[in-house]
Amino acid sequence: MSFEEYLQKKRLATSTIGGHIKDLERFKNWCTAENLDYETIAYNDLLEFIQQAWARGIGSQRINSSLNSIRKYYNYLITKGVLTKNPIGYLRVKNKGKKVLHNILTAEELEKVYREYANKPEWSFREKKHQHIHQRNVLILGLLVYQGIQVGELRKIERSNINLKAGSIYIPSTSRSNSRTLKLSAEQILPIQQYLFSLEGENL
């Protein structure tokens, strides 16, 4: 039984089934680009999938729609005996990327997610551009974890806002937040430095 047939047995509308299949294909393509096996993906990788969607400006409603499709696919794999547990669990997002998790992550757990993603080995990148994208995402993830900045603020940050000598970053104001200068964590300095060096004159 195919995934489409599985959805048909759930008596879903044809248009709804088509949307789930398209969401799944986009997710599979993302896994391929990240050199991940979508059938054995880890929870931290799913968080990265969400982080990248936020960075591209995708809204929480659209992200949740994709997560719902992916969740259905993993339920399908469970019925086939491929998996025994749905890795996506209760993962959802709301309001500008604020996560609603079955078990809320502590500060220590968030730091662990950051370190594990930041230390992804170079051999896991198929092309140099994938490594460059990873460096950018490490910078973004670090700002979300350590500085707690909002997604809207991410879009306003420029290269000149980062002061590595002072170990700080200036966050421009938005319609919903005031400008401020925040201290960078020691964990962030080297990854940010490597990413800025790789830009070679490009913008963030």
Side-chain angles (χ1 to χ4, degrees):
M1 179 174 60
S2 68
F3 180 49
E4 184 174 0
E5 291 170 335
Y6 168 81
L7 295 176
Q8 289 171 344
K9 284 194 172 185
K10 297 291 183 180
R11 297 188 177 182
L12 300 178
T14 302
S15 59
T16 301
I17 292 174
H20 287 319
I21 291 174
K22 286 181 180 178
D23 284 340
L24 179 62
E25 286 304 311
R26 281 190 286 266
F27 177 66
K28 287 181 177 180
N29 289 337
W30 177 83
C31 288
T32 298
E34 294 291 317
N35 200 29
L36 297 170
D37 182 347
Y38 60 86
E39 291 192 354
T40 58
I41 196 167
Y43 183 76
N44 287 349
D45 295 320
L46 290 167
L47 290 180
E48 171 58 19
F49 174 72
I50 293 173
Q51 299 286 1
Q52 290 192 24
W54 288 339
R56 296 197 303 274
I58 298 175
S60 58
Q61 186 175 356
R62 185 70 194 88
I63 293 174
N64 280 330
S65 178
S66 294
L67 292 176
N68 183 44
S69 298
I70 298 165
R71 185 180 292 107
K72 288 183 183 301
Y73 178 70
Y74 285 132
N75 284 337
Y76 158 71
L77 291 182
I78 290 172
T79 64
K80 291 186 66 178
V82 176
L83 298 177
T84 58
K85 182 180 178 181
N86 194 319
I88 209 165
Y90 297 91
L91 184 62
R92 288 182 60 81
V93 300
K94 70 174 184 178
N95 299 333
K96 296 285 186 178
K98 293 180 181 178
K99 295 182 286 299
V100 178
L101 308 179
H102 181 59
N103 294 307
I104 303 300
L105 297 180
T106 65
E108 291 75 16
E109 289 170 331
L110 284 171
E111 289 184 10
K112 182 180 179 182
V113 169
Y114 173 80
R115 287 194 298 270
E116 289 182 353
Y117 181 70
N119 293 326
K120 205 170 181 180
E122 289 190 16
W123 55 260
S124 65
F125 305 108
R126 295 189 303 166
E127 298 180 23
K128 187 174 180 62
K129 67 178 181 179
H130 295 149
Q131 184 175 5
H132 182 68
I133 292 171
H134 177 259
Q135 289 174 327
R136 180 203 64 192
N137 292 336
V138 168
L139 186 154
I140 292 171
L141 181 59
L143 293 175
L144 293 169
V145 169
Y146 291 103
Q147 284 72 41
I149 71 171
Q150 301 174 24
V151 176
E153 293 172 329
L154 278 173
R155 301 189 185 102
K156 291 199 140 194
I157 296 174
E158 299 179 355
R159 185 171 187 165
S160 59
N161 296 143
I162 300 173
N163 187 334
L164 288 176
K165 284 187 177 180
S168 64
I169 182 169
Y170 172 76
I171 310 299
S173 63
T174 69
S175 59
R176 306 184 70 176
S177 63
N178 295 323
S179 63
R180 58 206 185 278
T181 298
L182 300 174
K183 192 74 175 174
L184 293 170
S185 165
E187 297 265 8
Q188 295 173 274
I189 300 296
L190 182 58
I192 291 176
Q193 187 177 45
Q194 291 173 334
Y195 176 65
L196 293 180
F197 180 77
S198 71
L199 288 177
E200 298 179 350
E202 299 177 23
N203 294 322
L204 289 177

